Amino acid sequence: MTASAWGDGLATVTDTGRVLDVWFPAPALGPRPADARVPPAFEALTSADVRRRTERRPISVEIADLDRPPADVPDAYLRLHLLSSRLVGPQRLSMAGIFGVLPNVVWTSVGPAAPEAFEETRLRLLADGPVTVLGVDKFPRMVDYVVPAGVRIADADRVRLGAHLGEGTTVMHEGFVNYNAGTLGASMVEGRISAGVVVGDGSDVGGGASIMGTLSGGGSDVISIGERCLLGANSGIGISLGDDCVVEAGTYVTAGMKITLPDGRVVKARELTGRDNLLFLAQQRQRRARGGGPRGGRGRSWSGLNADLHANV
């Protein structure tokens, strides 16, 4: 992949000089072209907000090596935009140390604000009408910065900037997608895709299902789900799945869990990580993994995604 990137953006900067966020409408891979110019429209959008004590100003950012950790807030925001704009896939650039780089921000209906002395800020904002606090976090909602083509997101609060949603993906109301994670094609997301997790084309993360991420539980291991997999309602995994796998509803498969195979052998689930055509079942308090064989065997358990539902054009 291209190791460098650049973008012209609009930054929100406090009166103390701290950058709260940056919006990049057209991020790009590769070195900045010699004839690149800041969009003329940026000049009209440059402004100050005395109520939030912030200023919106143009900024140009270049990243020479995406394999190196983010250096500052503008660098981190450009990386998040690259992911959500589908220019870079999850786990294809460094996000090491991003929590130490990004500041906590009060995300309001009138724009980002510093959390320090926010009640005073709220008083100034209320003078011009109601203000809604959407959250206090390091990451904003993806759709406030990037709306990728061909996706449906039922609740914008559930998808962070830096999520990668493949075309045809649907994220339902209880679905959640973290940064540097997401789907590579048309998928149904009704459960949780944690940071670092990658879900293949045609897979379904059922209601209440959970996938361990790299921030907790999964440690440094990157969990992935292959193509045409189904995680049943309230199920979960702490290992990677290959293609054409099914996890029965309510079954949580952790790496250290003992799995009884059809031939009677007992192995730890981590020994099955990444294998294709597996069906994980919970029966009489035991978890069993049964090879699905060719796709025909697995197909009797799950018929795949609803094509009409994922026609997001």
Side-chain angles (χ1 to χ4, degrees):
M1 61 167 288
T2 303
S4 58
W6 67 280
D8 293 321
L10 285 170
T12 305
V13 185
T14 69
D15 57 4
T16 62
R18 182 170 51 159
V19 178
L20 297 181
D21 79 328
V22 188
W23 172 54
F24 294 97
L29 293 174
R32 182 184 179 87
D35 59 350
R37 298 291 183 270
V38 176
F42 278 17
E43 183 176 352
L45 295 173
T46 301
S47 62
D49 188 335
V50 296
R51 304 167 303 167
R52 289 181 289 131
R53 294 181 177 172
T54 60
E55 178 185 358
R56 189 165 56 196
R57 63 178 68 157
I59 185 173
S60 296
V61 177
E62 296 183 62
I63 302 175
D65 187 357
L66 291 171
D67 289 331
R68 296 182 63 85
D72 52 25
V73 174
D75 180 317
Y77 265 84
L78 179 54
R79 293 168 192 254
L80 295 172
H81 279 73
L82 292 172
L83 285 160
S84 291
S85 299
R86 301 184 190 136
L87 295 174
V88 177
Q91 300 293 333
R92 302 290 292 177
L93 77 177
S94 176
M95 285 293 187
I98 192 170
F99 279 91
V101 170
L102 294 178
N104 283 328
V105 176
V106 181
W107 305 103
T108 80
S109 54
V110 296
E116 295 80 15
F118 178 73
E119 296 311 322
E120 297 177 14
T121 302
R122 192 198 303 267
L123 283 173
R124 293 191 294 270
L125 292 170
L126 287 173
D128 295 322
V131 58
T132 300
V133 174
L134 304 173
V136 182
D137 195 9
K138 293 177 179 289
F139 295 82
R141 308 187 307 176
M142 182 187 75
V143 296
D144 292 335
Y145 296 78
V146 179
V147 178
V151 303
R152 291 197 298 136
I153 302 172
D155 186 346
D157 290 338
R158 308 285 293 180
V159 182
R160 274 176 154 181
L161 180 63
H164 181 287
L165 299 184
E167 187 167 357
T169 289
T170 295
V171 183
M172 294 302 292
H173 294 81
E174 293 304 317
F176 172 77
V177 187
N178 213 332
Y179 79 98
N180 200 21
T183 62
L184 302 182
S187 295
M188 170 63 80
V189 182
E190 296 181 274
R192 186 173 74 242
I193 300 179
S194 302
V197 172
V198 182
V199 176
D201 182 41
S203 290
D204 187 328
V205 183
S210 175
I211 308 169
M212 286 188 182
T214 55
L215 299 181
S216 62
S220 60
D221 295 333
V222 177
I223 303 297
S224 63
I225 295 178
E227 298 183 353
R228 301 173 302 277
C229 291
L230 171 65
L231 296 188
N234 297 317
S235 66
I237 58 169
I239 64 171
S240 293
L241 301 180
D243 297 337
D244 303 300
C245 293
V246 174
V247 180
E248 186 186 33
T251 303
Y252 208 117
V253 182
T254 60
M257 177 177 290
K258 293 182 179 180
I259 304 293
T260 302
L261 301 176
D263 61 6
R265 288 185 301 124
V266 178
V267 300
K268 288 189 175 180
R270 64 170 57 95
E271 297 179 39
L272 303 176
T273 190
R275 294 192 187 182
D276 300 336
N277 298 302
L278 290 178
L279 172 59
F280 289 89
L281 300 173
Q283 294 180 346
Q284 298 177 351
R285 298 185 180 180
Q286 291 182 336
R287 271 64 171 178
R288 300 179 183 270
R290 185 174 66 202
R295 287 187 56 198
R298 185 208 54 82
R300 289 194 297 270
S301 299
W302 185 50
S303 58
L305 295 177
N306 183 324
D308 291 336
L309 183 65
H310 292 269
N312 291 319
V313 179

